[in-house]
Amino acid sequence: MKIKLVFTAILIISFQNFFAQETPTTVVLDSIKTKSIDLEKQNAAEKDRLEQKLKNEKQALKDQQKAEDQIEKAKKDAKEAEKKQDKLEKEQKKFEKEQKKISNAEKNVEKQKGKLEKERKNLEKMQAKFEKSKAKGKLSPVEIEKGNVNITKQQLKIKEVEEDIEKAQKKLNKLR
């Protein structure tokens, strides 16, 4: 019977071990250490957030600088285009002015040629009239001298007009 008792005791102890609940072991944490760990995590998160914010601000600054550079370049290009436009307008005005001068010089040459023709016709009329009067014998020696002087004056006028034509031609050639 002793054996039964020992055997029953072993069996009960085995069942007790087998059906026993496992008790979790709780580690007691120090609240100060927990707070410092949380604080370190928060600081690390804050640092990461600040670094990201700084990175974003740098990128925004770069983008803003690029935009300002493009604006400056556009302004510079606009000024250059305006200068070129002004230069072209000045050249156009200069060309038009030169064309006007050439046109005026050509008109002057034509005017002088017309004047020459008129003076030559006057000379021919004067000579014809003088020769006709001389042939009739109505003229005195003083009147003959006056007629010769008038014809000579007319010939001088013709020479002056021819010189004016030469000057106008030279001016026209110089302008061209």
Side-chain angles (χ1 to χ4, degrees), residues 158-172:
I158 290 172
K159 291 289 182 188
E160 288 176 1
V161 172
E162 286 175 350
E163 288 175 5
D164 289 344
I165 289 174
E166 286 180 30
K167 286 180 185 177
Q169 282 288 353
K170 285 181 183 178
K171 185 176 180 182
L172 178 62

Side-chain angles (χ1 to χ4, degrees), residues 53-158:
K53 185 178 178 182
L54 182 64
K55 202 182 257 187
N56 290 340
E57 286 176 356
K58 282 183 180 179
Q59 186 64 36
L61 188 61
K62 280 184 182 178
D63 292 342
Q64 184 180 9
Q65 186 66 33
K66 282 183 183 179
E68 288 176 1
D69 289 345
Q70 288 176 347
I71 289 170
E72 288 297 319
K73 185 177 180 185
K75 285 180 182 178
K76 188 176 181 182
D77 291 343
K79 280 185 179 180
E80 286 181 19
E82 190 175 317
K83 284 182 181 180
K84 285 182 181 179
Q85 184 67 26
D86 289 344
K87 188 176 181 181
L88 287 174
E89 287 175 2
K90 284 181 182 179
E91 288 177 3
Q92 182 69 25
K93 285 181 182 179
K94 186 178 179 183
F95 179 74
E96 289 173 2
K97 196 174 183 181
E98 288 176 5
Q99 290 299 328
K100 191 173 182 180
K101 283 182 180 181
I102 290 172
S103 174
N104 287 340
E106 288 173 348
K107 287 178 184 176
N108 193 18
V109 168
E110 291 300 318
K111 183 179 173 183
Q112 293 296 333
K113 285 182 179 179
K115 198 173 183 183
L116 178 65
E117 287 296 319
K118 187 177 176 183
E119 293 297 326
R120 283 188 179 164
K121 283 181 183 177
N122 278 344
L123 178 63
E124 287 176 14
K125 282 183 184 179
M126 206 181 275
Q127 283 178 338
K129 190 175 181 183
F130 179 69
E131 291 297 323
K132 192 176 184 183
S133 296
K134 193 176 172 185
K136 286 184 180 178
K138 295 181 178 178
L139 298 176
S140 66
V142 174
E143 289 176 340
I144 292 174
E145 280 303 313
K146 281 185 181 179
N148 284 335
V149 169
N150 285 339
I151 290 173
T152 308
K153 283 183 182 178
Q154 190 65 28
Q155 288 173 341
L156 283 174
K157 281 184 181 178
I158 290 172

Side-chain angles (χ1 to χ4, degrees), residues 27-38:
V27 178
V28 177
L29 295 176
D30 191 8
S31 64
I32 296 174
K33 280 187 178 180
T34 305
K35 287 181 183 178
S36 68
I37 291 173
D38 288 341

